[in-house]
DNA sequence: TAGCATGTAAAGTGCTCGTTGTACTTTACC
DNA sequence: GGTAAAGTACAACGAGCACTTTACATGCTA
């Protein structure tokens, strides 16, 4: 993967330049959106010339696809690791709540990288109709689906142990994600008491799926 | 409200033209996004000339603000009415679940109008950083906040009656909204079993807030 | 019926952008 | 060190856009 929109590449292009372009394009696409982001701005942010961008990618759309795929894959990997770290040591029903809170807090703590990724995903959603449905599908498969599956695995495990009563683990994983990411006010403006909202969301989840 | 970006209007402009422009602009903005939407396309969709648009609105940004405000207000009014119709007759704890399911099904059934509105909101979110935070705040105040308050009122009522155990009705309203609007797969593609997801979401909500 | 503000039509202005061609310089590898 | 590919700077092209200008049509009001 990642070669989708690349140039034929008869010769060998420098990988560091390609990485710099993808990194710079992520910043610009995330903050400006697909249409507003200009190739010139991306070139400046990447420290390369515009011409070099077209040596690596067929056009703007192909570059965007590569950026989305790379960002989704990297973030999903980090998130799956978060799931393992916080949820694999649970040894009883009483530990579920605190473990979920710890996971959700870490999950929603916005590092600069994941903040850019979140903004990029917002752009993907808004532009979904204009960029081909395969981009959205590829993003979903490379990113959210993996985290959702990792979450669902642990939930199914806890259900099998009799600690929760879950008939559809995938659905429960979605419910958990939506509850802990709930905020008052418009999206994008994180409230000061976000941790309290996370605790409340986990509380409703645990009560809702209690055995 | 709604006069924010209007032209000085020394004379009296025809209101029907203005309404046609706002209606046409809603369609174009919703499907194409703010940047892609061209004044020419909006003029064509509205059945007016581009010059007339500039007689009614100072510029593209003012037109967008007017469209967002109008759409948010109209949709919020319809949604508050839905809350009243489905949730005001509840006379016991056992009726809560079915009433909420009925409300959520009606709420999420996408009429053409609310579909355009939903797409428009997606554009607002993605473009929030580029259009001034007051637009987002105005949308939030004119739309979602009113529905959220209407929901929270009923929930608080049921809690006071001892049918639910809710300490923060506003937060519970947000939780309800996020649970019933949960779907598998990427957003935008409604699954065929959406009603089952609604029922499951209401179920988790009622269990989570059971007295 | 005269007058005037509003709407329409079409062309024009100035700008930005995606993309490509070209000539030159740098880098990597034998 | 030589060679071929990769990168850079720069200009150009063509398209599309927001917005304006100008000239003309239309309908209401006095």
């Amino acid at each position: 993967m990642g070669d989708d929109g690349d140039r034929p590449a008869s010769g060998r292009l420098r990988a560091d330049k390609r990485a710099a372009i993808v990194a710079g394009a992520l910043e610009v696409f995330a903050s400006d959106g697909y249409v507003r982001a200009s190739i010139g701005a991306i070139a400046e942010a990447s420290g390369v010339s515009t011409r070099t961008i077209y040596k690596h990618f067929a056009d703007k759309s192909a570059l965007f696809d590569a950026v989305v795929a790379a960002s989704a894959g990297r973030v999903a990997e980090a998130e799956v690791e978060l799931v393992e770290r916080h949820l694999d040591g649970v040894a009883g029903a009483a530990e579920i709540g605190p473990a979920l809170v710890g996971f959700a807090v870490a999950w929603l703590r916005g590092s600069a990288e994941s903040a850019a990724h979140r903004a990029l995903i917002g752009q993907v959603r808004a532009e979904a109709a204009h960029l081909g449905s395969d981009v959205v599908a590829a993003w979903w498969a490379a990113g959210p689906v993996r985290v959702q599956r990792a979450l669902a695995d642990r939930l199914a495990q806890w259900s099998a142990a009799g600690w929760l009563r879950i008939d559809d683990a995938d659905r429960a994983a979605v419910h958990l994600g939506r509850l802990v990411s709930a905020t008052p006010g418009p999206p994008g403006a994180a409230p000061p008491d976000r941790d309290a909202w996370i605790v409340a969301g986990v509380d409703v989840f645990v009560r809702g799926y209690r055995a």
Side-chain angles (χ1 to χ4, degrees), chain A residues 31-48:
Chain A
S31 67
D32 287 357
Y34 179 79
V35 186
R36 285 183 144 97
S38 74
I39 299 292
I42 294 173
E44 196 174 1
S46 311
V48 303

Side-chain angles (χ1 to χ4, degrees), chain A residues 1-203:
Chain A
M1 70 207 86
D3 296 323
D4 294 353
D6 284 353
R7 268 280 138 91
S10 60
R12 43 217 166 270
L13 300 171
R14 285 176 50 183
D16 58 338
K17 293 290 176 184
R18 189 186 192 277
I21 293 169
V22 172
L26 168 61
E27 297 297 328
V28 180
F29 278 137
S31 67
D32 287 357
Y34 179 79
V35 186
R36 285 183 144 97
S38 74
I39 299 292
I42 294 173
E44 196 174 1
S46 311
V48 303
S49 72
T50 65
R51 203 66 186 74
T52 302
I53 293 180
Y54 283 98
K55 288 225 177 93
H56 281 264
F57 300 93
D59 54 15
K60 192 182 179 183
S61 166
L63 172 58
F64 188 76
D65 293 0
V67 168
V68 170
S71 183
R74 187 155 23 84
V75 170
E77 193 170 358
E79 290 181 349
V80 168
E81 195 178 341
L82 275 186
V83 171
E84 296 170 354
R85 177 162 19 165
H86 285 88
L87 304 186
D88 271 350
V90 173
E95 297 178 17
I96 289 178
L100 287 179
V101 169
F103 162 71
V105 168
W107 182 38
L108 297 174
R109 172 167 26 241
S111 70
E113 175 179 324
S114 78
H117 174 71
R118 266 176 238 276
L120 180 72
I121 293 317
Q123 303 296 341
V124 170
R125 290 200 224 173
E127 296 278 334
H130 299 277
L131 293 164
S133 60
D134 45 351
V135 187
V136 181
W139 156 65
W140 191 256
V145 139
R146 291 168 54 193
V147 183
Q148 213 175 94
R149 183 164 306 156
L151 261 179
D153 283 350
R154 274 71 184 182
L155 294 178
Q157 210 171 307
W158 299 342
S159 180
W163 303 338
L164 293 176
R165 195 177 66 81
I166 295 173
D167 56 339
D168 187 332
D170 288 313
R171 182 184 286 161
V174 174
H175 281 166
L176 175 62
R178 301 209 31 108
L179 280 173
V180 298
S181 63
T183 54
D193 57 344
R194 187 175 51 185
D195 285 4
W197 276 78
I198 291 176
V199 171
V202 168
D203 198 51

